[in-house]
Amino acid sequence: MGMKKLVLSGFLASEEIYINQLEALLLPMRPLKATATTSKPVLTVEQIETIFYKIQDIYEIHKEFYDALFPNIQQWDDKVTVGHLFQKLASQLGVYKAFVDNYKLALETVEKCSQANSQFQKISEVTKNTYTTLVLHDLLKHTPKEHPDFALLQDALRISQNFLSSINEEIDPRRTAVTTPKGEARQLVKDGFLVEVSEGSRKLRHVFLFTDLLLCAKMKKTAVGRNQQYECKWYIPLADLTFQTLDDSDSCPHVQTLPEHEIEEMKIKISVIKSEIQKEKKAQKGQSRIVDRLRKKMNEQESWLLLHSPTIPFRIHNKHGKSFVFLLSSDYERSEWRESIQKLQKKDLQSCVLSTLELQVLTSSCFKLRTVHNIPVTSNKDDEESSGLYGFLHVIVHSATGFKESANLYCTLEVDSFGYFVSKAKTRVFRDTAEPQWNEEFEIELEGSQCLRILCYEKCYDKSKLNKDDNEIVDKIMGKGQVQLDPQTVQSKNWHVDVIEMNGIKVEFSMKFTSRDLSLKRTPSKKQSGVFGVKISVVTKRERSKVPYIVRQCIEEVEKRGIDEVGIYRISGVATDIQALKAAFDTNTKDILVMLSDMDINAIAGTLKLYFRELPEPLLTDRLYPAFMEGIALSDPAAKENCMMHLLRSLPDPNLITFLTLLEHLKRVAEKEPINKMSLHNLATVFGPTLLRPSESETSKPHITMASDIWSHDVMAQVQVLLYYLQHPPISIAELKRNTLYFSTDV
């Protein structure tokens, strides 16, 4: 019965599209009839009768059928019968015979009237095409009238809209909509969801690129059971479309961006829900009500993320009117849209103004023609679809060849994360060469990723084009390409070498994947002579210091020349540089200070993070971890203060002094937030899990291997613990020790 309802719902949706088409066809009939008896008729009564022969009858038959079927599907149960409705519809097929017999004459009349009457010409451009799709829609729809298999009938309905167009127009049927003013077929070339900045706020739009115009639409709110429809927000003929130059950007609306920590928090929430869905599926054994509720919540959160994450502006301008701004998260996608439009603009295009009727028909056709049906969020994917990779992808960008002349070249790497693509890494600029040799390694965090994209740019050093919008990318894309992340290929322990070809350019790279549970596991170093993977108490005792030398030196270097660096501690350093620094600190190399002064600051920041990540026990200790989790959850401020300060006092001295040193450093970094864009919350998100994540308790849980169990509620709490101390007034060791007498010693 459920399947039967599903099939009938699909049938009803097709019927609604069909009725909308008939209404569009009948729309010009009424005003034409009204003028037929005046002194200046557009068409004679006879011509109107010929062109619109039997359309009104067909419309009434289908409207009656639709109105009778709709309530039955709304109140569906075992006792509902619909067979009599189909039987009645089948008995009225005689009207189609008359319609088909008249079809050729109707088209000829339309043609003659168009040539003789300019007023009717615009109407006919719409009418002819609707006629074309009309005939076979009905023939296919009713040919198997006695067949009981509704699924086949539904499939026939799905393809019938476009079938006759393909015969008459001899072009891709799925893409034919209506004819252009030049009489050519208007085809859909590309469509997709983009975020538009409209009246200062972000709006999700479905954008359709046709052969001669760009149309921006939004989905109308419709009653349950009714078919979805689009509403046109605006359109620009491609003949009038230009891409705004940076000099015009001052007149563009302000691009609002949310603090990064809000985006990160939402990602964590989504990951928590993914984990809950997996657990429910295992526990419920088919009971899906809780899973459905969780999926709905996840869809809302992912849609929020999709709306608020993009920051790269894509500016479009109408030569005769307004400018529009979209925001994208991927420069690759911005480039694809721009290239598609520019390719069409090479043809001899004419500007056009659509009448209300033409716009109505074009907008209603968008629903059938669209190739992207759902917003790109993971909650819209089927369970059977690959959930992607979770963990860390190590990528070495080796070199590139195929450039025609020397240039200043660099690459960026993008991966899909939570359903959309984001830029994750960037090589250094290789100056004045046609054969760049980067050989740089990056560690990229994957969050359900399935694809890696590489873009190759020529660096722009033109001062007049710089100091604009932070997110504006003014560099020229020389080439772009992508590769699927196949779990079997990537998950081997060996490096996988690959080449991406793009516009005659070849980029060579290698990649290797590490699952999250392995990469986050704290493994003690076998060599106790180094500093990485060695207990902090062992290192400070050996060095006869209160804070490890590596921590002091990295902090000093960051404060000397990295405190104004945008995204310090968030942006990844080059992995090979970090490994070189790690080796130097482990072997206590004499020229380590020279290395530090020469090294990229992001590599030094990355080395400090790696040191804390590789401690065999977290800085805030395994023993106190449960108490930190309980303390941060307390709602009474005084009780929380008492507990959180007591926990600090309970830390071993090397851990406490190192933690307070790092705390004061991070506060100094956050003081420069207007310049470096790193707030206390951003820093807590980066360092919280690194300083608190337990060494064994997480990895000893049997479910940790599940892809969606990558985050837990603990991660949010770990961030909150560090944030609490970062927002706290300065904490001195002397005061902590002095207050020991006043507080309970129970943790």
Side-chain angles (χ1 to χ4, degrees), residues 531 538-545 547-550 552 585:
V531 293
V538 173
V539 173
T540 49
K541 190 175 180 183
R542 188 203 312 138
E543 293 178 353
R544 295 178 184 174
S545 63
V547 177
Y549 178 69
I550 182 173
R552 285 180 283 131
F585 277 112

Side-chain angles (χ1 to χ4, degrees), residues 431-492:
R431 291 209 173 202
D432 197 26
T433 181
E435 294 186 350
Q437 301 276 332
W438 295 289
N439 293 314
E440 289 184 62
E441 182 183 336
F442 301 93
E443 182 184 79
I444 296 171
E445 188 172 4
L446 303 183
E447 297 159 305
S449 309
Q450 297 177 323
C451 189
L452 169 71
R453 289 171 168 175
I454 298 183
L455 295 94
C456 190
Y457 292 88
E458 180 181 357
K459 181 73 181 168
C460 168
Y461 287 109
D462 183 348
K463 290 283 189 290
S464 68
K465 290 188 178 180
L466 301 176
N467 303 322
K468 292 282 180 181
D469 188 327
D470 284 345
N471 300 307
E472 188 66 85
I473 299 164
V474 297
D475 301 333
K476 181 184 174 187
I477 294 179
M478 304 297 286
K480 63 186 193 308
Q482 57 187 7
V483 61
Q484 290 299 312
L485 297 175
D486 174 36
Q488 275 70 40
T489 310
V490 178
Q491 282 182 310
S492 68

Side-chain angles (χ1 to χ4, degrees), residues 361-381:
V361 172
L362 184 62
T363 308
S364 67
S365 75
C366 288
F367 186 81
K368 304 189 296 294
L369 297 170
R370 60 188 180 157
T371 60
V372 181
H373 292 261
N374 296 312
I375 62 170
V377 293
T378 54
S379 48
N380 279 336
K381 290 183 178 175

Side-chain angles (χ1 to χ4, degrees), residues 674-691:
I675 302 166
N676 63 32
K677 307 282 189 259
M678 292 300 288
S679 63
L680 290 175
H681 207 301
N682 281 352
L683 292 163
T685 304
V686 170
F687 276 95
T690 304
L691 300 179

